[in-house]
Each structure stands twice: as structure tokens, then as C-alpha cells.
Amino acid sequence: QVHLQESGGGSVQPGGSLTLSCVVSGVTFNKYCMAWFRQAPGKEREAVAAIDDDGRSKYEGSVVGRFTISQDSAKNTVFLRMNNVRPEDTAVYYCAAEFRTPLPSMRTAQPLDPQEYTYWGQGTQVTVSS
């Protein structure tokens, strides 16, 4: 059974930094696309960033230059480094994964579409406040 476990959430002041982690277990895979999404109270779930097994990445506009998605394939872990956070970054952050081919293509908007992903974590809360 595939399991995604997020960690690293918490409270941070505006302008600060935080790193989220997502560990994947229960599956052996070589090809994948993984992503971070977030959902603020009263708002729809939105994409943050995505990365594939070739290391290609894609970001939602408001986090470009502030957030970085990366991976440690040996540890089945994907990270989201959040720098210069803003109050509007406050949300529950979810990790998502897809292993079935064809994978979401980094040449399109697919990696930032939540409907492209089969597996999801439970989420971790990030609160940005002074």
C-alpha cells in the first residue's frame, strides 16, 4: 500500500524559512511525478510545485524565486524549501505522487493539476504570522 507522509510544517514569521519533507513508502518505482499542493481555509486546493524522476520541476507563479522543490531518490523523499514566506502562504500543504505512465508532462500544465495524481498525504499545516 502506497503511503505518503509529510513533515516539517509549523509556525514561521513572515520572511522566514521552512522545509517540508514527504517520504514515500509501500511502492518500488523508477518513474514518477511528485508535487506539493496547498489549501487555505475557504479556498480551493492549489498547486505549489512539481518534480519528476528526471529532476525537471515546475512552479506556481506566486512561489517562483521563493520556494524550491527537490528530491532524494535514494530515500524516496521529496522536499519543499520555503524561503521568504508570506502570510498568504498559510495553508495545509499536501504531498502528491503519480507512478502510472504516461506521467504528467512537464511540457504542459499537467504536473500542477491535482487531478493528475493518485496518491496523497494527509497534509501538514504551515502558518505564517508575526
Side-chain angles (χ1 to χ4, degrees):
Q1 184 176 358
V2 179
H3 183 68
L4 276 64
Q5 182 65 59
E6 303 99 334
S7 63
S11 296
V12 60
Q13 292 186 343
S17 297
L18 206 62
T19 298
L20 307 182
S21 301
C22 173
V23 179
V24 181
S25 60
V27 61
T28 301
F29 53 92
N30 294 315
K31 307 296 288 183
Y32 60 87
C33 188
M34 295 190 65
W36 288 95
F37 291 81
R38 65 187 180 186
Q39 188 166 18
K43 295 187 177 181
E44 293 186 356
R45 189 169 298 190
E46 65 174 3
V48 177
I51 191 166
D52 67 11
D53 52 273
D54 286 329
R56 293 171 292 194
S57 59
K58 186 179 288 288
Y59 296 88
E60 187 271 333
S62 70
V63 307
V64 171
R66 301 190 299 123
F67 292 7
T68 302
I69 190 169
S70 61
Q71 59 192 348
D72 183 338
S73 300
K75 296 182 179 179
N76 288 356
T77 303
V78 173
F79 305 96
L80 184 69
R81 175 65 175 177
M82 306 166 61
N83 291 330
N84 191 23
V85 296
R86 305 167 179 170
E88 54 264 39
D89 293 323
T90 296
V92 177
Y93 283 70
Y94 297 91
C95 177
E98 184 56 59
F99 307 107
R100 298 173 302 175
T101 56
L103 294 169
S105 172
M106 286 292 176
R107 298 176 182 177
T108 72
Q110 291 175 343
L112 300 182
D113 181 351
Q115 295 185 6
E116 293 289 329
Y117 295 90
T118 302
Y119 304 101
W120 292 81
Q122 293 298 309
T124 185
Q125 175 71 46
V126 173
T127 302
V128 182
S129 174
S130 56

